[in-house]
């Protein structure tokens, strides 16, 4: 009996090299409000909504935000989670997924539009030469920080 083993030379390349981010998931206590917030504030569209038979308390949705996919999961059962940060430094020191980030053409114009839509600024616009970006941060209706960056 011959046993064939695959090496990187027989695979042609590292199989991990095909990895891409598919989505970021947010577990929320207010499913409908969260869907509405992302639709109104970030122009999200609902790609798909569903339930899972073995978890009757859950509602799930995929949202598309200009090609970025969010998965929203809401439950009718009480939840515990990460505390809502009152400032960005506190958020950076909390374990778990701290925030997600959108790269945009003009972060100043994006923040102005978000403010026009009633979204408050969490971290003011600033330029940061070390990472080479200009950024601002907002929070969604559940206190999740969302960063927007433009390369310098």
């Amino acid at each position: 009996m011959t046993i064939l083993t695959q090496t990187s030379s027989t695979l042609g390349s590292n199989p991990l090299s095909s990895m891409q981010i598919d989505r970021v998931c947010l577990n929320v206590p207010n499913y409908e409000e969260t869907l509405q917030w992302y639709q109104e504030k970030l122009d999200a569209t609902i790609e798909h909504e569903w339930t899972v038979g073995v978890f009757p308390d859950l509602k799930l949705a995929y949202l598309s935000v200009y090609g970025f996919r969010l998965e929203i999961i809401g439950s009718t059962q009480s939840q515990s989670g990460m505390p809502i940060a009152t400032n960005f430094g506190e958020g950076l020191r909390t374990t778990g997924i701290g925030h997600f980030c959108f790269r945009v053409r003009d972060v100043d114009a994006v923040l102005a539009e978000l403010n026009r839509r009633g979204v408050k600024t969490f971290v003011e616009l600033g330029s940061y030469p070390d990472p080479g970006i200009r950024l601002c941060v907002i929070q969604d209706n559940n206190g999740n920080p969302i960063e927007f960056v433009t390369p310098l």
Side-chain angles (χ1 to χ4, degrees):
M1 178 165 100
T2 304
I3 297 175
L4 297 175
T5 58
Q6 292 183 333
T7 64
S8 60
S9 61
T10 60
L11 289 174
S13 67
N14 180 342
L16 297 175
S17 67
S18 67
M19 276 195 298
Q20 295 179 354
I21 289 287
D22 185 72
R23 64 189 173 276
V24 169
C25 178
L26 299 176
N27 293 18
V28 301
N30 49 4
Y31 178 81
E32 298 295 338
E33 289 173 28
T34 299
L35 295 185
Q36 184 177 353
W37 190 91
Y38 277 89
Q39 289 174 86
E40 290 176 1
K41 306 304 185 187
L42 298 186
D43 299 333
T45 56
I46 297 173
E47 287 182 3
H48 185 63
E49 283 189 89
W50 72 100
T51 58
V52 178
V54 295
F55 301 115
D57 63 302
L58 296 181
K59 290 175 125 180
L60 300 92
Y62 285 154
L63 302 180
S64 177
V65 182
Y66 296 104
F68 184 83
R69 190 170 11 170
L70 286 171
E71 181 177 10
I72 306 296
I73 301 177
S75 174
T76 56
Q77 295 183 12
S78 63
Q79 301 174 331
S80 63
M82 294 181 6
I84 295 174
T86 57
N87 63 63
F88 197 56
E90 184 180 307
L92 292 174
R93 290 176 180 85
T94 303
T95 60
I97 295 176
H99 68 280
F100 55 94
C101 179
F102 291 103
R103 181 179 294 197
V104 296
R105 245 188 328 260
D106 183 348
V107 70
D108 295 72
V110 165
L111 183 59
E113 176 61 19
L114 290 169
N115 290 161
R116 188 189 70 72
R117 295 179 184 198
V119 178
K120 294 179 183 173
T121 304
F122 187 57
V123 174
E124 296 293 331
L125 281 166
S127 294
Y128 299 87
D130 286 342
I133 55 175
R134 182 162 173 77
L135 70 81
C136 68
V137 180
I138 63 166
Q139 288 179 304
D140 73 6
N141 63 310
N142 293 299
N144 295 305
I146 304 170
E147 182 179 350
F148 294 87
V149 301
T150 299
L152 290 176

